[in-house]
Amino acid sequence: MTARSSIGFRSLTDEIDHDCSVTGTLPDWLSGTLIRNGPGAFEMAGSSVDHWFDGLAMLHAFTFGDGVTYRNRFVRSDAYRSARNGNFESGFATGNTTLRDRLRAFLFEKPYDNANIIAERIGDDYLALTELPRWVAFDPDTLETLGHVQYDGPEPAGNLACAHLKRDPVTDELVNFETSFGRNCHYHVHSIPSATDREHICSIPVDEPAYMHSFALTPNYVVLTEFPFVVNPLDFIKPGAQGPFIENFTWKPERGTRFFVIDRRRGTVVAAPRTEAFFGFHHANAYEDDGEIVLDLETVPDATAIEVLYIDNLRDGNFGGLSGRLERFRVDPESETVERERMYDGTALPTTSPDRWCRKHRYVYAQSPDPQMTTWPEAIAKIDTETHRAVEFADEGSYLGEPIFVPNPDGERVDDGVILTLSLDPATERSSLIVVDGESLAELARAEVPHSIPFDFHGRFFPELTG
Ligand SMILES: [Fe+2]
């Protein structure tokens, strides 16, 4: 049965420039642009995707200045052009074709470029990113696609590239990892001074690479949290290889979850402790505390969340297994031990203040579904990591997206700022960008959009983009 929330999985084809009507009062310090990325269309020219992660990338920009302007554009990728011709190429979990050649092309020959996960500034470039290393540059003012960027220098590169680069806000250094597949597989960790440069930090040989959607960065360490959701790399290249990318991975809980702790300066793995098996997509933040590394992660028990995210399942309103739990892991590189602490049940897409990235934070912001996830999230939460209590904001009857905290540049408290979240009202079939007070979570203002924005993934606020 089609669920009320299925509107969030309905294709959006309009591309518009719009002066939003604003109700409420915007803070006078709020200036810059929120760029969100996510799937815009799930069907095109008679062809369709199987999985939420494979919807065609669409960028949405909200610029705050005198009021709020909104603009949305599809990323003009090869995947987009192919879909316009009625052919969704083999994606993360979509592939009507089971030909080995398609899988090989996806990873090795012409990496899949449906860059629908996040928009990031790398050096002077603004890029739409997915989990393959063929990024798509765009003009941040017009959202016009500019072209592909793929590293082809001498440093070791991977076939998969994490879309969640980590920025150290003190040094402005960007760090990322890639995974290379072949007879010998590696995780490669780099500092990334520009979209076309790499400074190699470390390469870790691995027998069966894991699917890791994000990682952690602190002033001195990179931490790869290696979940036991792994692939035999030969499965990608052997005769008879088949199926979309992610269906080649297997859950092997007997391996446990391993934390590779890498010294950023020396480029060495200083510890690799294992703990019991769990899975997750997002590291909310990490920092160092008295010799230990503290990681706040959203966890789920295993990798079945990926199966839940098939589009027919989501349109039917079956979200069981998607709701995460915010947990704190303390990794001691000396004793190679891991302590695990449960902080909050019922989260999705956790974030922290960009001012606190890599440093001790107090608050984590997240969508706040009920722990059984009987509906798509209808609230966001500000979770206090000291008290494990949360304050919530809900927009009666509407679905709320990933919360993005924007600090007040003149603020003194760590929660002096606003939280930006997209709200989709299934009754009016329209979305609004809501500005919520960072301390009280009271609504300050909302900017209306004349269409419904499909449920998306991630946003980034760029204060330098003032329109
Ligand atoms: Fe993500």
Side-chain angles (χ1 to χ4, degrees):
M1 192 178 77
T2 303
R4 179 170 158 270
S5 55
S6 64
I7 187 172
F9 303 100
R10 192 170 76 186
S11 295
L12 170 63
T13 52
D14 289 350
E15 298 178 305
I16 62 171
D17 297 87
H18 178 72
D19 286 324
C20 299
S21 70
V22 176
T23 52
T25 305
L26 293 163
D28 51 14
W29 57 264
L30 183 60
S31 168
T33 299
L34 172 73
I35 301 182
R36 296 201 56 84
N37 196 350
F42 306 96
E43 299 88 9
M44 201 171 269
S47 178
S48 61
V49 300
D50 297 333
H51 197 276
W52 186 36
F53 289 1
D54 286 326
L56 286 175
M58 181 179 269
L59 297 168
H60 306 263
F62 293 87
T63 300
F64 296 86
D66 273 344
V68 181
T69 61
Y70 167 79
R71 170 177 290 127
N72 71 309
R73 295 291 186 274
F74 280 107
V75 175
R76 262 54 180 185
S77 60
D78 290 347
Y80 174 83
R81 274 186 283 276
S82 179
R84 296 264 301 183
N85 291 325
N87 180 18
F88 273 95
E89 290 177 353
S90 171
F92 176 84
T94 292
N96 297 325
T97 172
T98 56
L99 294 177
R100 177 183 57 156
D101 290 351
R102 298 301 291 270
L103 194 58
R104 287 177 63 110
F106 172 89
L107 272 176
F108 298 106
E109 288 151 21
K110 196 176 182 191
Y112 186 58
D113 66 348
N114 182 28
N116 67 7
I117 295 180
I118 196 166
E120 188 65 85
R121 176 178 64 80
I122 304 178
D124 296 328
D125 295 313
Y126 291 82
L127 298 153
L129 308 181
T130 183
E131 295 189 303
L132 284 98
R134 196 155 159 256
W135 297 335
V136 183
F138 67 90
D139 181 324
D141 296 324
T142 64
L143 300 185
E144 179 192 349
T145 299
L146 299 176
H148 291 98
V149 177
Q150 186 170 4
Y151 177 73
D152 65 354
E155 300 299 342
N159 309 103
L160 280 189
C162 180
H164 287 290
L165 288 75
K166 293 290 182 188
R167 187 184 300 276
D168 184 329
V170 172
T171 63
D172 206 36
E173 182 181 1
L174 268 179
V175 174
N176 203 23
F177 82 94
E178 300 186 348
T179 305
S180 62
F181 297 106
R183 298 207 178 274
N184 297 301
C185 303
H186 291 87
Y187 304 134
H188 304 291
V189 182
H190 298 104
S191 174
I192 303 194
S194 77
T196 52
D197 289 329
R198 299 282 187 280
E199 291 170 3
H200 184 235
I201 295 175
C202 179
S203 290
I204 303 172
V206 56
D207 54 351
E208 293 185 305
Y211 175 70
M212 296 180 279
H213 182 73
S214 69
F215 68 104
L217 184 70
T218 69
N220 291 298
Y221 300 104
V222 176
V223 183
L224 302 185
T225 307
E226 188 194 46
F227 309 108
F229 190 48
V230 297
V231 65
N232 178 342
L234 298 181
D235 286 352
F236 286 139
I237 50 181
K238 71 184 180 190
Q242 61 178 349
F245 167 73
I246 201 64
E247 291 184 6
N248 288 274
F249 284 71
T250 307
W251 180 246
K252 293 189 175 177
E254 66 279 7
R255 291 172 59 112
T257 292
R258 177 163 53 172
F259 294 89
F260 283 111
V261 180
I262 300 154
D263 184 310
R264 274 171 72 177
R265 305 291 174 289
R266 302 205 326 254
T268 53
V269 176
V270 295
R274 289 181 195 267
T275 185
E276 62 267 37
F278 65 90
F279 185 68
F281 289 103
H282 296 109
H283 294 69
N285 198 30
Y287 60 92
E288 292 162 30
D289 181 30
D290 199 20
E292 293 182 329
I293 301 160
V294 181
L295 301 97
D296 283 0
L297 253 117
E298 182 184 69
T299 69
V300 287
D302 56 41
T304 53
I306 288 175
E307 294 164 26
V308 176
L309 293 165
Y310 279 89
I311 198 89
D312 287 347
N313 198 39
L314 294 174
R315 284 173 172 156
D316 288 345
N318 300 320
F319 310 125
L322 281 186
S323 177
R325 170 182 296 168
L326 186 66
E327 296 198 75
R328 175 159 288 182
F329 295 84
R330 286 182 171 271
V331 177
D332 185 338
E334 286 288 319
S335 61
E336 301 223 20
T337 54
V338 180
E339 278 178 30
R340 182 174 183 177
E341 179 188 14
R342 182 172 172 170
M343 289 203 289
Y344 194 77
D345 279 7
T347 59
L349 302 178
T351 61
T352 48
S353 168
D355 278 356
R356 305 309 306 162
W357 288 343
C358 309
R359 269 80 189 167
K360 184 171 182 178
H361 59 281
R362 176 151 181 190
Y363 300 108
V364 171
Y365 310 92
Q367 288 174 301
S368 183
D370 68 83
Q372 284 70 45
M373 195 131 172
T374 51
T375 67
W376 199 254
E378 297 179 8
I380 55 170
K382 171 190 178 187
I383 303 160
D384 186 331
T385 63
E386 290 182 7
T387 64
H388 300 184
R389 294 208 181 92
V391 186
E392 291 201 342
F393 168 79
D395 184 27
E396 195 61 43
S398 296
Y399 303 105
L400 297 182
E402 178 202 48
I404 297 292
F405 183 82
V406 181
N408 178 349
D410 299 320
E412 292 182 358
R413 297 186 325 273
V414 291
D415 57 354
D416 193 340
V418 296
I419 302 164
L420 306 178
T421 184
L422 266 179
S423 171
L424 173 53
D425 183 346
T428 61
E429 303 194 351
R430 291 194 170 194
S431 294
S432 298
L433 195 277
I434 304 187
V435 182
V436 178
D437 181 75
E439 183 184 13
S440 66
L441 267 70
E443 178 175 330
L444 298 176
R446 66 174 59 209
E448 290 185 4
V449 172
H451 56 213
S452 61
I453 297 175
F455 296 142
D456 64 1
F457 300 131
H458 299 291
R460 193 62 95 219
F461 189 80
F462 300 99
E464 72 277 14
L465 299 177
T466 55

